Structure formats: C-alpha cells, structure tokens
Amino acid sequence: GEDVEQSLFLSVREGDSSVINCTYTDSSSTYLYWYKQEPGAGLQLLTYIFSNMDMKQDQRLTVLLNKKDKHLSLRIADTQTGDSAIYFCAERDTGRRALTFGSGTRLQVQP
Amino acid sequence: GAGVSQSPSNKVTEKGKDVELRCDPISGHTALYWYRQSLGQGLEFLIYFQGNSAPDKSGLPSDRFSAERTGGSVSTLTIQRTQQEDSAVYLCASSFPGSENIQYFGAGTRLSVL
C-alpha cells in the first residue's frame, strides 16, 4: 500500500531557510501536497505540485519533486517564528480521492 | 459558511457510549472526507462521500464506525460503543471534484474516551 514518510523534527534559526523532506512509495501518485497545522487548528493547504512537474515556487515556498527517487521537499525561505508548526506531506494516486499523509514534521523556529 | 465547520470541538465520553460528530462542509463542495489523527500521527482516511454516489468506506476501522451525509451537505460520523483507542482528533475536509482535489479542512473534534 501507499506509504509517506517524513522526519519528525526540524529546528532552524529565524531568517534561515528550512527544508522539510518527504518520501513516498506510490509510483502512481498524481498530486502531492504540503499542509501546515498550527496548535489546535485544522490543516491549512500551503501548496501542491502535479507529478509531471519538478519544481513549483510560491513566494517564500519552493517545492521540489524528484519523481525517480519519489522524494518531495518543501523549502521555506527566510523562516519566521510564525512558521513554527507541523508540516504534513500528502499524496493522492489516480485511483483514490482520499489523501495519504505522512506523520508530520514539527518545525521549530528559534528567534 | 466560509470554511469547514465541525462540532463539537471537544468531546469527552465514557467507554461504551455512542458519540456523534458533525461536519458542515464549504457551501457548494460536493466531496466530503473524514480522517482521524491519533496523537503524534499523520491523518488516517476513514470515509469519503461524493455527491449521490455510494460512499467509499474502505478506511473505517470497524463496524462500530459509520457516517451519513444528508442532502449532500452536512455529515455525521457516529462511533458506537466507544473504546479508549478511539481517542483521537477527527478531521473533516471538503472539496470540489476537480483534478487537483484541493481539500479544505475543519479544525477537528478532539474525542477523549475515558
């Protein structure tokens, strides 16, 4: 079945870049997503990428997709304390509407 | 409403009791999903509704779990004879049925079974 894996924790200093990594196993993934979850809140969609793309940039966010290695990353430039949250990688394959999520990466931004 | 609304935000119940969790999707969204987030875990898919089609129940963990979606809008997730392992945050999402399938999430219901 599908599996999505992420590292559990990342700590960076304010102003630095953050890179959160994700690997997935389903070769039929069509879309891959990054969601942000702040304490006590639901998931907020940050960005998504179609599987035939290798990069997508949206303001401070850059998504890189290596389809051959099934590796997805989210780079946050000029990380701010407000970026502290849990970041979830998710994928959807052609056969399903539901998303398969990783366990989330907790980003801690030190002032 | 402007976003996906879930109620209650918190629910504490005793083992063996039944609970109902409610989700009000974004107006006009035809697809509705329930997920479960256990402590420190990612989201686990439970059930998916799309319009008038039969729901995809493939993620329901046992027959104690069921869900309805009345009139193509509000959905209720029912857990019968709750167990301690049912304690989790239950998240609802809705989407348009487009190819990107952008799912918008509610804030969730935190269920604690004592």
Side-chain angles (χ1 to χ4, degrees):
Chain A
E2 309 100 10
D3 194 20
V4 178
E5 295 194 356
Q6 303 177 237
S7 53
L8 292 180
F9 185 75
L10 176 66
S11 181
V12 300
R13 290 202 173 275
E14 190 173 17
D16 288 349
S17 292
S18 308
V19 179
I20 302 171
N21 294 299
C22 170
T23 58
Y24 60 98
T25 57
D26 191 347
S27 58
S28 62
S29 295
T30 54
Y31 285 91
L32 296 119
Y33 308 80
W34 284 104
Y35 281 86
K36 176 183 180 182
Q37 186 179 38
E38 295 179 276
L43 274 68
Q44 172 196 354
L45 177 71
L46 288 178
T47 187
Y48 65 96
I49 189 168
F50 186 49
S51 59
N52 69 352
M53 298 169 63
D54 52 19
M55 187 180 94
K56 181 177 180 181
Q57 188 155 1
D58 184 1
Q59 298 182 349
R60 291 191 298 123
L61 306 179
T62 303
V63 178
L64 295 178
L65 175 61
N66 182 328
K67 195 172 181 181
K68 173 177 169 288
D69 294 338
K70 299 190 184 70
H71 181 267
L72 182 74
S73 67
L74 174 70
R75 179 176 179 271
I76 306 172
D78 187 25
T79 314
Q80 304 297 307
T81 54
D83 295 325
S84 293
I86 301 175
Y87 291 79
F88 289 94
C89 168
E91 63 91 20
R92 180 172 81 87
D93 69 25
T94 52
R96 303 185 71 205
R97 285 285 179 182
L99 304 183
T100 301
F101 285 83
S103 297
T105 299
R106 181 177 295 277
L107 175 65
Q108 180 180 72
V109 183
Q110 311 268 16
Chain B
V4 177
S5 178
Q6 292 188 244
S7 61
S9 54
N10 283 283
K11 176 72 177 178
V12 180
T13 190
E14 293 179 350
K15 179 181 170 182
K17 300 279 190 186
D18 297 351
V19 295
E20 286 189 351
L21 312 179
R22 176 187 167 105
C23 172
D24 199 343
I26 293 172
S27 178
H29 280 191
T30 57
L32 186 148
Y33 309 77
W34 284 98
Y35 294 87
R36 176 168 72 175
Q37 184 179 22
S38 300
L39 186 64
Q41 301 294 314
L43 277 72
E44 172 193 11
F45 165 71
L46 297 177
I47 188 168
Y48 157 62
F49 295 90
Q50 171 58 54
N52 295 322
S53 302
D56 175 358
K57 303 179 183 180
S58 60
L60 294 178
S62 77
D63 59 7
R64 296 186 296 104
F65 287 72
S66 63
E68 289 185 337
R69 189 178 185 193
T70 53
S73 182
V74 172
S75 177
T76 303
L77 177 70
T78 301
I79 310 173
Q80 296 178 308
R81 306 181 302 281
T82 51
Q83 304 294 311
Q84 288 183 332
E85 61 263 28
D86 299 334
S87 296
V89 176
Y90 289 81
L91 289 160
C92 176
S94 68
S95 71
F96 286 114
S99 58
E100 297 90 352
N101 195 30
I102 304 302
Q103 296 184 22
Y104 296 87
F105 283 80
T109 294
R110 181 175 297 278
L111 175 65
S112 300
V113 182
L114 305 179

